[in-house]
Amino acid sequence: MIKLNNLSRTYQTDEVETAALSGVNIEIEQGEFVAIMGPSGCGKSTLLNILGMLDNPSQGQYLFSDEDISNYSEAKLANIRKQNIGFIFQSFNLIEELSVEENIELALLYHNIPTAERKEKVIKVMDKVGIAHRAKHMPNQLSGGQQQRVAVARAVVGNQAIILADEPTGNLDSVHGQEVMEMLRALNEEGTTIIMVTHSAAHAGYARRTINLFDGSVMTENVRAA
Amino acid sequence: MFKNYFKIAMRNLVNNRLYSAINIFGLAVGLGACLLLFLFINDETHFDQFWTDADKIYRAESLIQSPGRGPYGQGFTSGKTRSTLLNYFPQEIESATRFHQEYPIIQVGDKVFEEPLYLTDADTADIFDIEVLKGDLKQTLSDNRSIALSKELAIKYYGNIDVLGQVLTIAQNNSKHDYRVGAVYKKLPHNTVISFNALIKINEDDFKDQPWMFDNWASPNTVTYFKLKPNVDISAINSRLVSLVEDNVSVPEYWADQFSEATEFISFSTLPISKIYLSYAGVSNNITIFGSIALLILVIACINFTNLSIAKSTRRAREVAMRKVVGASRKQLIVQFLGETIVIAFIALIVGVALVELALPAYNNFLGRELQIGYRDPFTIVIMLALVLFAGIVGGIYPALILSSFRPAAILKTNKAITASSGFTFSNLLVIFQFIVSISLIICAVVMYAQREHAANMELGFDKDHIVILHGVGRETLIPRQQTIREQLKKLPNINSATYIHMFPATGASRTGTITVTGDKNLTKHIVAFKDIDADYQNTFNVKLLAGRIFNKEIGRDKMPTNEQWENDPGPFESNIIINELAIKQLGLGDKPADALGKILEFPDSKKLYATVVGVFSNINYRTTREAQQPELYMQNTAGAGFLAVRFNGSPIAVEKILKDYWQENITDVPFVRTFVDELVQGQFRGEQRMSFMLAVASSIAVFVACMGLFGLASFTAERRTKEIGLRKVMGANVSDIVKLLVWQFSKPVLIASVAASLLSFFLMAKWLDDFPYRIELWVIIPICFAASLCATLMAWLTIGGNAFKVARARPVKALRTE
Ligand SMILES: Nc1ncnc2c1ncn2[C@@H]1O[C@H](COP(=O)(O)OP(=O)(O)O)[C@@H](O)[C@H]1O
Ligand SMILES: [Mg+2]
């Protein structure tokens, strides 16, 4: 489903060139649960952004469903992205002015779905992540764990095939972190492909495969026996 | 302390360049517009204050009650007033002078001119400090046959001002006299109500045959000014004006049966010279309107301040919190923030003054004045500082209160920026207000323009573009030649017809009186307008004869009794008249024009006149489109007509040359002076023209300033929303979704303002139009409202669209990284 061939990303800042990723080769099949680990600044977020089509690689190939999208325009990427990919962020990134249900609905807003159908989907997904009783609350009235559940709901409400999670448990205590991981596992078991950045070895343990990054390159890949 | 505030203020200015630029430039434009309007208002309110004795000079006013006509007089007084005042108040009045205007023919060498000339008394030289360039003004005005010329007139007549002793001839009142130039003076500035090209002494002996001119209390023909002695209060005069009448005035013979006491028909009052201009119709009205516009523009500019500060407050929340933590009181913070806005306002004033200096030449040209910023005038300085304080405080007070009320714990604890959502709606309200004002100003400007165009170009019923009026035909030497001149003119190419008239068309002049209809049992008195015409009136003014016939020179009854007959014959008199359609209706003479024929109208004077209707004319708008048409009575009477209205075809320029050539060949003692009726009509609407132009400029400035504010607000909001926008893009929003989102956010207030402004202006303008008998249809205002709203909305979209597009195109990763 996803195939990166010799992919690199360099940042040009004030005459200094930083290679955030260099020569990365990764292949991810549909339905996989992949964890990405590595020290701070090694390029995990950069990799995830490129996988999520929020950023273009500087070099190399990105094959998405056998289509080379590495040089696609922003608008074209946006189109593929909104059909296929959901995001979960470390800092939740909920919009403060919108209520829980409105935040979730946001993910459907740009998909040409009729209002009634949108509402129905939102209600369903809120039930699924156990936040239905907080539907009308504003984000700042929720705990961190609850906020991240909203974020998970938002990532999956559109039935996205792939979820990219950048340190989804980074801002949560262990109990709430555990909850989020359980949710991700459940999603994966339903067939959603999950790619997650984490610092926690325990949480990486939920994944079938762990990719270790160091200084922009893949160092090792461990596959856990089923 | 203040040094610290100032430093912070300056750093803030430099660090927030966009914010500073918008605030300073927007406010500078607003302050500049205010200053320009202030200069105008200041000028309007300071007429006649430059005279050395300005506070001692007064104008005598008289009010005369007359039977059958409203009270009249006002600024004019009888020629007897001066001497009476001087005799009655020897302790109080130092000197007094009169002005009386004549339009004599002045002959200089072999050239003749028709020139406005003021007759006055020698005291003029004492009361008004007129700068004399040559000769002696007092001496000139003490001599019966001397004249004082303005510098401009001396140059017009002689080419230079070394003209003392030159002799010119003035023809007036059936007599001709030579005058010696005795003085040349500098033209008076524009800001006075008195102005004169040339002065000669009032020689009452020259008016022996016109006793009403200077010797009749009921005939106010002169303007009388007097100057108080030192340390005299005007109340000493005012309190004795009634007894002045009792002691000096008697009821004129012809009113003896109407009034028993002189105080019943005449009263006097006084007006300081500096108040005269303000008492003119429309002046104080204009001052109010322009003052309000200045204030509105200022408020619009101040709103930018408020809104941008509110938008920026999120950025400064942390600074405020820290200051509070280290012990700043709320009061200190308020002072700090107000100080900042005042500093910005001061910088804006400097920029604004520079803008005003750039705009002044065009502004002066437009107003026909020589306005300047009085940098040394304490009042101007005070006004400018007041503007700065006003702008600083009005613009800064709300954000200062909001910012200083932030609770430090709330800000420092969480990472989140405060989103002042109450401030956001307040900002929206202010934006709505800005656009209500801007859009209303546009609508008013356009409606006024449309009304002016409509009224100035409407068909008056007599094809105004092809009539020219010749002056001077009522001069003594030309009266006997009137019929010949007319016949000769009619033979010239392009000239169709010509009629002698007493009153100009298109100036609003009219003579009214009351009549009754014979046989009317109620003896209802009808007010109608009288017009003296001759047989050519119909052709010249394109009037249609709807029934009956026009006047015939050969039929005696077609003529009015002459003045002589009127005075010597006891009456009753009989004559034929023509009336217009409106008169039929008003007098109830029938349904069709023909019904009126043969009806008899009575003039309820002491001497009876029975007038039989022999013809009916169609209505034409002889006066102005400012007034409704009147019922009119036409009588054949050419005696005393001063003008000849000439109907022509073809180009006015060619016709003017034909007429001028004719005139110069045949008439040497009267100058050729002409007026095109079309120009008269246009001139009637100069006030509206000026007003709609000023409003157009004001509304452009208002829209510009409001859009600057909107731009700033949009930039800040977009900045505040970057994260949200990034997130929406991650969720699949494309560029146009985001642009729509941002543009819509600011379209809402503009649309609300459009609706409010349209309603407001519709009623305002409907009321304004009410004063015009011939006005544009009210529904015309509706498309104007739409156009103005559309225009403002487009401007707003243009303003915020570019920025929104830029924001929307940014890559979402960037937005999400900013944490
Ligand atoms: N927009 C950017 N401009 C310049 N350098 C960047 C940018 N984003 C990331 N980097 C650099 O690229 C490297 C990888 O960053 P990142 O992918 O955020 O690391 P991680 O998520 O593993 O902590 C770092 O050295 C970082 O400084
Ligand atoms: Mg990271």
Side-chain angles (χ1 to χ4, degrees):
Chain A
M1 167 167 237
I2 288 174
K3 195 161 191 289
L4 305 183
N5 283 332
N6 204 16
L7 186 135
S8 301
R9 175 70 169 100
T10 47
Y11 290 109
Q12 189 76 41
T13 42
D14 300 333
E15 292 164 30
V16 185
E17 203 169 78
T18 320
L21 293 174
S22 52
V24 175
N25 293 295
I26 294 175
E27 198 165 342
I28 298 170
E29 296 299 331
Q30 189 162 357
E32 268 198 279
F33 193 148
V34 179
I36 299 172
M37 295 188 74
S40 208
C42 72
K44 304 182 296 289
S45 295
T46 305
L47 176 60
L48 215 60
N49 286 340
I50 289 176
L51 287 172
M53 303 170 201
L54 298 174
D55 198 4
N56 287 87
S58 316
Q59 263 176 15
Q61 249 188 344
Y62 177 1
L63 297 175
F64 186 84
S65 305
D66 300 327
E67 205 176 332
D68 185 0
I69 60 164
S70 42
N71 291 315
Y72 274 21
S73 71
E74 158 75 11
K76 243 174 158 175
L77 288 178
N79 227 7
I80 305 175
R81 178 174 69 219
K82 79 177 175 191
Q83 307 302 336
N84 299 287
I85 302 174
F87 290 87
I88 301 170
F89 303 93
Q90 175 177 3
S91 55
F92 325 136
N93 275 336
L94 301 179
I95 295 177
E96 287 175 48
E97 285 87 354
L98 300 181
S99 69
V100 165
E101 54 180 5
E102 286 164 344
N103 262 294
I104 298 172
E105 195 184 354
L106 196 65
L108 300 173
L109 212 54
Y110 304 102
H111 289 232
N112 281 329
I113 299 172
T115 317
E117 197 184 328
R118 274 205 315 257
K119 297 269 182 246
E120 202 185 303
K121 287 190 179 213
V122 170
I123 290 169
K124 254 192 209 147
V125 79
M126 283 193 299
D127 272 339
K128 197 164 161 186
V129 302
I131 201 78
H133 58 299
R134 298 291 176 118
K136 303 282 181 216
H137 284 96
M138 303 308 276
N140 58 14
Q141 296 170 309
L142 304 179
S143 72
Q146 288 169 325
Q147 290 195 35
Q148 196 61 305
R149 274 197 241 172
V150 176
V152 172
R154 186 180 60 188
V156 302
V157 69
N159 281 330
Q160 271 82 354
I162 304 169
I163 286 183
L164 300 180
D166 195 347
E167 299 186 39
T169 56
N171 279 0
L172 300 177
D173 59 51
S174 56
V175 178
H176 287 117
Q178 195 78 20
E179 267 176 32
V180 168
M181 288 316 299
E182 290 299 336
M183 259 188 298
L184 290 180
R185 193 212 312 262
L187 284 169
N188 179 245
E189 277 165 4
E190 287 167 20
T192 308
T193 309
I194 294 176
I195 306 170
M196 171 186 75
V197 169
T198 183
H199 281 294
S200 151
H203 293 164
Y206 282 82
R208 273 288 205 71
R209 180 152 68 114
T210 304
I211 298 171
N212 290 300
L213 277 187
F214 188 78
D215 231 357
S217 306
V218 179
M219 292 303 288
T220 53
E221 289 193 43
N222 315 323
V223 181
R224 186 165 57 86
Chain B
M1 183 77 119
F2 276 104
K3 217 171 127 198
N4 176 284
Y5 288 159
F6 188 77
K7 242 193 311 196
I8 294 218
M10 291 317 284
R11 273 189 205 149
N12 259 313
L13 274 179
V14 176
N15 288 342
N16 301 289
R17 275 187 212 97
L18 176 73
Y19 168 82
S20 315
I22 290 173
N23 262 342
I24 291 176
F25 196 65
L27 194 57
V29 171
L31 287 176
C34 275
L35 269 183
L36 283 178
L37 290 168
F38 162 75
L39 289 179
F40 173 72
I41 293 171
N42 195 35
D43 191 53
E44 292 277 287
T45 48
H46 285 79
F47 265 55
D48 284 305
Q49 297 194 355
F50 61 88
W51 305 109
T52 312
D53 294 315
D55 55 336
K56 294 203 196 75
I57 305 174
Y58 289 81
R59 187 174 76 178
E61 319 256 298
S62 67
L63 197 62
I64 296 157
Q65 311 291 335
S66 93
R69 180 181 162 190
Y72 62 92
Q74 274 122 1
F76 289 89
T77 43
S78 157
K80 290 165 80 89
T81 311
R82 172 178 181 262
S83 55
T84 308
L85 281 173
L86 284 172
N87 288 334
Y88 205 69
F89 297 109
Q91 305 302 316
E92 290 87 2
I93 294 181
E94 187 171 291
S95 49
T97 189
R98 296 168 293 177
F99 289 99
H100 170 78
Q101 194 179 24
E102 291 274 317
Y103 276 88
I105 306 279
I106 299 185
Q107 195 166 345
V108 184
D110 55 359
K111 287 176 288 181
V112 285
F113 303 92
E114 189 186 63
E115 207 76 62
L117 172 68
Y118 273 92
L119 280 57
T120 189
D121 297 297
D123 281 355
T124 294
D126 296 333
I127 298 176
F128 300 105
D129 27 10
I130 297 161
E131 197 179 326
V132 180
L133 303 171
K134 301 273 171 189
D136 186 323
L137 186 61
K138 176 114 192 184
Q139 211 181 322
T140 304
L141 296 181
S142 307
D143 181 63
N144 277 338
R145 297 289 174 244
S146 287
I147 184 168
L149 300 179
S150 70
K151 183 179 155 192
E152 284 69 24
L153 202 62
I155 290 173
K156 177 177 168 189
Y157 288 170
Y158 301 105
N160 62 70
I161 62 167
D162 291 315
V163 294
L164 296 187
Q166 295 276 14
V167 174
L168 43 77
T169 309
I170 298 177
Q172 55 163 339
N173 303 317
N174 309 323
S175 61
K176 258 188 184 181
H177 297 285
D178 285 348
Y179 286 78
R180 213 188 105 267
V181 178
V184 176
Y185 57 86
K186 205 172 151 202
K187 195 174 125 188
L188 294 173
H190 75 272
N191 53 347
T192 170
V193 293
I194 61 169
S195 75
F196 30 74
N197 253 348
L199 290 172
I200 61 174
K201 183 192 155 188
I202 293 179
N203 180 11
E204 294 189 20
D205 290 343
D206 287 348
F207 292 88
K208 279 261 155 46
D209 58 335
Q210 298 168 314
W212 63 86
M213 201 61 106
F214 295 105
D215 207 27
N216 181 341
W217 281 112
S219 180
N221 286 310
T222 67
V223 181
T224 307
Y225 292 98
F226 62 88
K227 185 168 108 183
L228 295 177
K229 287 194 166 162
N231 303 320
V232 174
D233 193 88
I234 187 66
S235 59
I237 308 265
N238 288 341
S239 60
R240 289 174 60 208
L241 286 175
V242 175
S243 59
L244 176 139
V245 173
E246 288 166 349
D247 295 347
N248 291 283
V249 184
S250 52
V251 178
E253 243 176 78
Y254 47 88
W255 281 349
D257 54 340
Q258 310 272 354
F259 303 107
S260 53
E261 300 284 340
T263 47
E264 288 171 20
F265 91 92
I266 191 165
S267 61
F268 287 98
S269 57
T270 59
L271 190 63
I273 189 166
S274 57
K275 295 265 161 57
I276 296 175
Y277 182 72
L278 289 174
S279 73
Y280 286 180
V283 170
S284 51
N285 218 0
N286 272 354
I287 291 175
T288 315
I289 291 175
F290 289 129
S292 317
I293 293 176
L295 196 67
L296 284 174
I297 292 182
L298 188 63
V299 169
I300 287 183
C302 290
I303 286 177
N304 286 354
F305 246 173
T306 308
N307 270 349
L308 294 185
S309 310
I310 294 173
K312 210 180 59 142
S313 61
T314 49
R315 280 191 186 172
R316 295 194 70 175
R318 224 160 250 284
E319 177 200 333
V320 173
M322 275 318 295
R323 280 180 186 275
K324 282 201 167 176
V325 168
V326 299
S329 74
R330 187 161 182 209
K331 212 171 95 193
Q332 284 168 324
L333 286 169
I334 292 177
V335 170
Q336 183 198 335
F337 288 122
L338 282 185
E340 286 190 27
T341 46
I342 291 172
V343 167
I344 292 182
F346 190 76
I347 298 174
L349 176 76
I350 294 171
V351 180
V353 166
L355 292 175
V356 168
E357 288 291 355
L358 286 177
L360 261 182
Y363 190 58
N364 277 329
N365 195 20
F366 169 68
L367 290 174
R369 298 196 178 171
E370 315 97 44
L371 306 180
Q372 284 175 334
I373 303 179
Y375 293 108
R376 296 209 191 123
D377 171 33
F379 183 60
T380 308
I381 301 293
V382 166
I383 287 287
M384 292 208 270
L385 293 182
L387 283 177
V388 165
L389 275 184
F390 179 85
I393 291 173
V394 168
I397 191 73
Y398 183 79
L401 289 176
I402 293 271
L403 275 174
S404 62
S405 73
F406 284 163
R407 301 247 298 284
I411 295 162
L412 296 178
K413 192 177 84 192
T414 69
N415 237 350
K416 282 173 224 150
I418 295 277
T419 43
S421 56
S422 66
F424 178 71
T425 43
F426 183 69
S427 294
N428 269 356
L429 273 182
L430 293 181
V431 170
I432 291 174
F433 176 80
Q434 284 183 314
F435 276 89
I436 288 179
V437 172
S438 311
I439 296 170
S440 302
L441 285 175
I442 302 180
I443 296 173
C444 294
V446 177
V447 171
M448 282 190 181
Y449 179 79
Q451 169 61 24
R452 194 202 86 88
E453 285 297 297
H454 172 76
N457 295 318
M458 76 179 271
E459 192 41 68
L460 300 175
F462 59 81
D463 184 15
K464 66 182 164 56
D465 296 334
H466 293 98
I467 301 184
V468 62
I469 293 169
L470 303 183
H471 301 224
V473 291
R475 300 285 174 195
E476 288 72 31
T477 53
L478 294 190
I479 289 172
R481 295 172 63 189
Q482 279 188 348
Q483 295 317 314
T484 333
I485 290 173
R486 188 213 311 252
E487 293 316 312
Q488 288 174 341
L489 280 179
K490 276 158 99 173
K491 293 202 186 83
L492 295 175
N494 291 21
I495 306 296
N496 302 345
S497 67
T499 185
Y500 283 97
I501 55 174
H502 292 72
M503 270 174 282
F504 266 34
T507 52
S510 92
R511 180 163 67 90
T512 57
T514 53
I515 55 148
T516 56
V517 181
T518 302
D520 175 10
K521 286 181 209 78
N522 303 326
L523 287 174
T524 317
K525 289 185 175 178
H526 299 281
I527 296 180
V528 294
F530 301 125
K531 203 182 280 170
D532 296 314
I533 63 168
D534 61 27
D536 283 312
Y537 174 80
Q538 191 207 357
N539 293 334
T540 312
F541 282 96
N542 280 358
V543 182
K544 283 196 254 338
L545 182 66
L546 303 174
R549 60 175 180 84
I550 60 169
F551 291 127
N552 185 331
K553 274 178 226 149
E554 309 308 322
I555 299 177
R557 264 185 64 116
D558 275 9
K559 293 199 184 98
M560 278 281 140
T562 63
N563 276 347
E564 237 164 53
Q565 284 172 310
W566 199 262
E567 251 153 54
N568 303 324
D569 198 323
F573 303 98
E574 289 182 8
S575 78
N576 292 335
I577 56 162
I578 298 174
I579 62 176
N580 71 352
E581 276 181 283
L582 276 173
I584 301 180
K585 223 172 166 191
Q586 158 130 8
L587 304 181
L589 300 182
D591 303 322
K592 341 185 265 300
D595 294 345
L597 298 178
K599 293 274 164 51
I600 297 170
L601 311 177
E602 294 174 29
F603 291 61
D605 251 304
S606 46
K607 288 180 186 175
K608 276 270 186 243
L609 170 71
Y610 296 97
T612 311
V613 178
V614 295
V616 177
F617 278 164
S618 61
N619 299 324
I620 63 164
N621 213 311
Y622 191 81
R623 299 197 302 159
T624 71
T625 43
R626 204 180 275 293
E627 283 136 317
Q629 291 174 352
Q630 299 169 298
E632 291 182 343
L633 268 53
Y634 309 91
M635 14 218 161
Q636 179 162 241
N637 179 16
T638 49
F643 309 99
L644 182 61
V646 179
R647 152 111 17 223
F648 61 87
N649 55 52
S651 117
I653 300 168
V655 167
E656 174 165 13
K657 184 165 178 346
I658 293 170
L659 290 172
K660 195 168 181 179
D661 288 347
Y662 164 81
W663 193 280
Q664 284 173 345
E665 211 167 287
N666 296 282
I667 300 162
T668 48
D669 50 350
V670 177
F672 176 78
V673 180
R674 62 36 170 193
T675 303
F676 284 97
V677 173
D678 178 45
E679 289 168 0
L680 275 179
V681 174
Q682 297 295 330
Q684 283 295 309
F685 294 92
R686 215 152 275 151
E688 277 85 2
Q689 191 177 19
R690 184 188 274 196
M691 184 68 95
S692 68
F693 183 78
M694 290 279 261
L695 273 178
V697 173
S699 59
S700 311
I701 290 174
V703 171
F704 175 77
V705 174
C707 279
M708 280 196 80
L710 201 56
F711 178 77
L713 203 53
S715 319
F716 275 102
T717 315
E719 184 187 292
R720 196 164 60 88
R721 292 177 76 171
T722 23
K723 202 162 171 188
E724 176 199 337
I725 289 163
L727 204 73
R728 283 181 188 270
K729 289 191 78 178
V730 169
M731 298 296 151
N734 56 30
V735 173
S736 69
D737 289 323
I738 302 295
V739 172
K740 262 187 253 163
L741 178 81
L742 291 176
V743 168
W744 176 238
Q745 180 187 3
F746 290 103
S747 303
K748 256 186 301 183
V750 177
L751 290 178
I752 293 171
S754 297
V755 174
S758 299
L759 290 174
L760 183 77
S761 318
F762 186 89
F763 287 109
L764 213 65
M765 284 292 101
K767 199 161 176 303
W768 180 76
L769 285 173
D770 232 20
D771 290 341
F772 296 86
Y774 304 102
R775 50 182 173 251
I776 51 173
E777 304 267 357
L778 283 186
W779 63 261
V780 173
I781 304 178
I782 297 171
I784 293 175
C785 289
F786 270 110
S789 305
L790 190 70
C791 179
T793 311
L794 285 180
M795 281 295 294
W797 280 351
L798 222 69
T799 310
I800 50 189
N803 189 268
F805 196 68
K806 199 180 105 199
V807 171
R809 279 186 37 165
R811 282 194 175 272
V813 228
K814 287 199 185 120
L816 295 176
R817 278 186 70 86
T818 49
E819 290 201 358

